Every structure is written in C-alpha cells, then in structure tokens.
Amino acid sequence: MGSKNKLKRFKENETFANVIQPSREEVTSNFSLKGKWNTFFKNDNPIVLELGCGKGEYTIALAEKNPNKNFIGIDIKGARFWRGAKTAIENDMQNVAFIRTQIELVDYIFAENEVDEIWITFPDPQIKYQRTKHRMTNATFLKRYHTILKEGGIMNLKTDSEFMHGYTLGLLHGEGHEILHANHNVYKNEGAPEEVTSTQTFYEKQYLEIGKPITYIRFKLNY
C-alpha cells in the first residue's frame, strides 16, 4: 500500500464515528470507555472482540450474523481496519467499532467481566524464543484476557501456524484451561463451528490457495 493511500485512510478514519484512536496515555490513564462500552453502543448487548483484526473481516462477518451482539476490532494498523470500518458505515452497522491501539493494553480498555468472547485471527506466531513475550496466547496475555472476560467467556484462536496451534494447546493443557474444540485442519476435519469455516480473511484465502491447513481452538480460561 502506498504512503499516499495510507494517509488518505488515516484521514478518513478520523471522520468515522465507529473508529476510536486514543493515545497510549489516554488508554493507560483511566480510559473513558473502560467499563462503559454500553454508553458507546447505547445498549447492554454482549461484547465480542477481534484482536489483531487486520481488515476486520471477522468483526464484520460476525456482526452481520449477530445483530444482538456488539463487535470491536482492535489493531495498531489503522490503514488495515479502515476497510472494515468503512464497510460497517456503508451498511449502517451500529454494532461495530474499531480501536487503534496495542493488544497488550486490552485490560486498560475494558473493565473486569466486560467482554463475552474474544477472537484471535491469524496472529504473528512469533516463532523465535526471544519473541515469546509478544505471542498473543502466552501466559501473560491469557491472564489479561481472563481479567476482562465474563465468567465462562469464550476464547477462539484461528491460525495457519502449526507452531502457534501446538504452542497454545500445550500451554492450555499445562495450565489446566478448558479446551472446548481443537481442530488441526478445519476444512478437512469435521466438527469446526460454522462461523470458523464460513468466514475467510484476506490472508486465509492466500494460505488456502497454497494448501496450508487452517487450525482452530475454542477454549475457556480457568484460573
């Protein structure tokens, strides 16, 4: 994407009512919407997050299928989720929002027990050992998610990375979390939820073209 195109998208994001772009200081200093997302959506419907949402494909697809839930995509790259935000506005989807911020600040953005479900879609697996702290399903991140999830809240991980799939399964087993469904190839093995196979992200389609298996884990965090 050219720099001019990126700048155009950044500018357009600033005009979108469904895009929130706080500074890091605003997020960490008693973020105004923490615990008050019902005032943003003007309802008390369940909240579902897509972390590292990219173009927002899952945020949009799930929001279309579930009008009685609120969906929030989070990514640091605003030029990417511009597409999702624009689609939501064009289709008058009132149950969609996007936040431009770092995933590690998620527990500054939401209060305890404020979120019903979390999707992590095709994260960077951060394979090198020294990058473990950046892995979005490491023990530290899981504790952050647990803090904001309601009791019994659901986690979803969809990835093309066999490493990420195996790493996460091992960690979940080791820490005693509840694995509801695990699938090493959702398009060949039966049992994957419909929402896993009916929505494909931009990158997922590229992976499928070269025959990479897509994996999925659905789980609950028990601490």
Side-chain angles (χ1 to χ4, degrees), residues 24 51-52 76 102-106 120-142 144-145 157 163-164 167-168 171:
R24 188 180 181 93
L51 304 181
I76 194 60
Q102 291 91 351
I103 304 301
E104 61 263 28
L105 300 179
V106 69
I120 302 174
T121 50
F122 301 94
D124 185 332
Q126 307 286 0
I127 292 175
K128 292 183 179 179
Y129 178 76
Q130 60 267 36
R131 301 291 296 174
T132 302
K133 66 180 181 181
H134 298 289
R135 233 171 263 159
M136 285 177 61
T137 57
N138 70 28
T140 301
F141 273 104
L142 292 183
R144 289 187 180 116
Y145 307 148
L157 171 67
F163 168 82
M164 188 71 166
Y167 166 82
T168 304
L171 186 62

Side-chain angles (χ1 to χ4, degrees), residues 192-212:
E194 186 271 340
E195 58 194 1
V196 175
T197 54
S198 63
T199 301
Q200 293 180 0
T201 71
F202 172 79
Y203 293 107
E204 181 176 358
K205 290 173 183 174
Q206 293 183 334
Y207 301 145
L208 289 172
E209 284 179 4
I210 60 174
K212 287 190 80 174

Side-chain angles (χ1 to χ4, degrees), residues 43-184:
N43 61 56
D44 291 314
N45 293 342
I47 293 174
V48 181
L49 308 183
E50 183 188 7
L51 304 181
C53 67
K55 295 175 182 290
E57 293 102 331
Y58 256 86
T59 300
I60 294 298
L62 292 174
E64 287 177 335
K65 295 176 183 177
N66 301 277
N68 295 320
K69 294 181 181 181
N70 299 319
F71 293 84
I72 303 173
I74 303 178
D75 206 298
I76 194 60
K77 296 185 177 179
R80 285 186 183 173
F81 68 59
W82 164 88
R83 180 62 270 169
K86 192 172 180 69
T87 297
I89 288 172
E90 289 172 344
N91 293 288
D92 194 28
M93 299 172 70
Q94 301 296 315
N95 62 332
V96 173
F98 290 90
I99 309 172
R100 184 173 183 240
T101 194
Q102 291 91 351
I103 304 301
E104 61 263 28
L105 300 179
V106 69
D107 50 340
Y108 287 93
I109 300 169
F110 301 95
E112 291 184 16
N113 308 310
E114 192 172 19
V115 174
D116 289 76
E117 187 169 0
I118 294 174
W119 283 81
I120 302 174
T121 50
F122 301 94
D124 185 332
Q126 307 286 0
I127 292 175
K128 292 183 179 179
Y129 178 76
Q130 60 267 36
R131 301 291 296 174
T132 302
K133 66 180 181 181
H134 298 289
R135 233 171 263 159
M136 285 177 61
T137 57
N138 70 28
T140 301
F141 273 104
L142 292 183
K143 286 178 181 176
R144 289 187 180 116
Y145 307 148
H146 180 258
T147 297
I148 64 175
L149 279 169
K150 292 181 179 177
E151 186 173 351
I154 300 295
M155 292 286 309
N156 304 274
L157 171 67
K158 188 178 182 183
T159 175
D160 66 300
S161 169
E162 293 181 20
F163 168 82
M164 188 71 166
H165 182 79
Y167 166 82
T168 304
L169 274 179
L171 186 62
L172 295 175
H173 279 298
E175 293 194 344
H177 301 301
E178 183 179 356
I179 298 170
L180 304 173
H181 181 85
N183 196 320
H184 290 273

Side-chain angles (χ1 to χ4, degrees), residues 21-63:
Q21 302 187 89
S23 67
R24 188 180 181 93
E25 185 179 1
E26 287 172 326
V27 170
T28 57
S29 302
N30 196 21
F31 183 57
S32 60
L33 286 170
K34 182 177 182 178
K36 302 173 184 175
W37 280 98
N38 59 337
T39 64
F40 179 88
F41 288 108
K42 299 179 175 57
N43 61 56
D44 291 314
N45 293 342
I47 293 174
V48 181
L49 308 183
E50 183 188 7
L51 304 181
C53 67
K55 295 175 182 290
E57 293 102 331
Y58 256 86
T59 300
I60 294 298
L62 292 174

